[in-house]
Amino acid sequence: MERCCDVIGGGAAAGHPVVDWQGTHAALVRYLLARRVTKDLAEDIAQETIARLVVISRSQAIASVFALAFRIANNLLVDQARLHSRSTAGLDEDMVCDAPSLDRVLDSQKAFEVFQRCLNRMPPLRREVLVRRRLQHQSCRSIGEELSLSDKAVEKHISRALDDLRRGMTRAGLDPAGWNQQWY
C-alpha cells in the first residue's frame, strides 16, 4: 500500500517518519462521529485536518500525529460550531411575527373579492340559503322551514352555490382546495 506522505513527498528518505495518513483519517472520522457530528461534516473536517497535517509535516517534525490531528479536528469543530451559531444568532424566537405575510393578505383580499362577486351573481334564493347555512350556521331543516323548502332543496341550493364558488375561484386562479375547510 502506497503511503500518502510518499506520494506527496518527504517520507523516510527525507528524514521524516512515514505517516499512515489513511489510518489517521479513519481515526479522525471515528472520533468525530463519536462526538455526534454528521458523516459528511466528519469527512470534511478529517480531510481538512489531514491537509493541515501534511503542510505542517513538510516543514517540521510532528512528535505525535494523532495528538495534533485530534487538536486540529477539535479546533475545526469549534470553528464550525461558531460559524453555525453566527448564522442562526440573528433568528430570535421572540421576534417571530404572528401577522400573515403580505402575500397571504393580498391572496385573501383577492379571494374575498372573487367570493363577493360570485355571491352577487347567484340567484337570490341560492345566495340566501348559502349565507344562512355557512355564515349563520343554521340547520338545513330550519332554513327549509323558514323559506318553505324541503331539506333536499336546501342541500341542492348549497351544493350549487358551492360549485359556483369553486368555479369562480378556479377562474380567478385561486386554489379552491385551500378553501375546502371553511366553505365546503
Side-chain angles (χ1 to χ4, degrees), residues 3-21 24 53-54 56-66:
R3 301 275 187 228
C4 186
C5 191
D6 294 336
V7 174
I8 294 171
H16 298 291
V18 175
V19 177
D20 180 12
W21 296 112
T24 305
L53 283 170
V54 168
I56 292 169
S57 70
R58 285 183 176 167
S59 62
Q60 59 189 344
I62 301 173
S64 173
V65 173
F66 281 106

Side-chain angles (χ1 to χ4, degrees), residues 46-176:
Q47 183 177 359
E48 177 65 24
T49 301
I50 294 298
R52 290 181 184 196
L53 283 170
V54 168
V55 170
I56 292 169
S57 70
R58 285 183 176 167
S59 62
Q60 59 189 344
I62 301 173
S64 173
V65 173
F66 281 106
L68 184 56
F70 290 130
R71 172 64 61 96
I72 292 171
N74 262 338
N75 289 343
L76 290 172
L77 195 55
V78 168
D79 290 346
Q80 183 68 29
R82 284 182 186 150
L83 180 65
H84 180 70
S85 70
R86 281 187 203 134
S87 65
T88 59
L91 302 176
D92 188 2
E93 294 298 321
D94 295 336
M95 298 200 54
V96 175
C97 180
D98 292 330
S101 69
L102 182 58
D103 290 339
R104 178 75 183 236
V105 170
L106 293 175
D107 287 345
S108 295
Q109 286 175 346
K110 182 179 179 182
F112 179 76
E113 291 168 5
V114 170
F115 179 78
Q116 193 65 45
R117 277 196 311 268
C118 288
L119 275 179
N120 291 338
R121 289 181 186 152
M122 283 182 198
L125 183 58
R126 186 180 300 169
R127 180 176 49 242
E128 179 70 21
V129 169
L130 180 69
V131 168
R132 285 178 180 230
R133 179 70 182 128
R134 297 299 178 162
L135 295 178
Q136 296 172 0
H137 305 291
Q138 290 182 350
S139 68
C140 290
R141 175 171 284 142
S142 69
I143 294 170
E145 289 172 0
E146 290 177 22
L147 298 178
S148 300
L149 297 171
S150 68
D151 289 348
K152 198 74 161 164
V154 170
E155 291 173 7
K156 198 68 150 175
H157 279 293
I158 293 170
S159 175
R160 287 181 180 164
L162 293 176
D163 285 342
D164 290 346
L165 288 174
R166 188 178 301 113
R167 278 193 303 275
M169 295 283 192
T170 302
R171 271 189 303 243
L174 298 170
D175 180 19

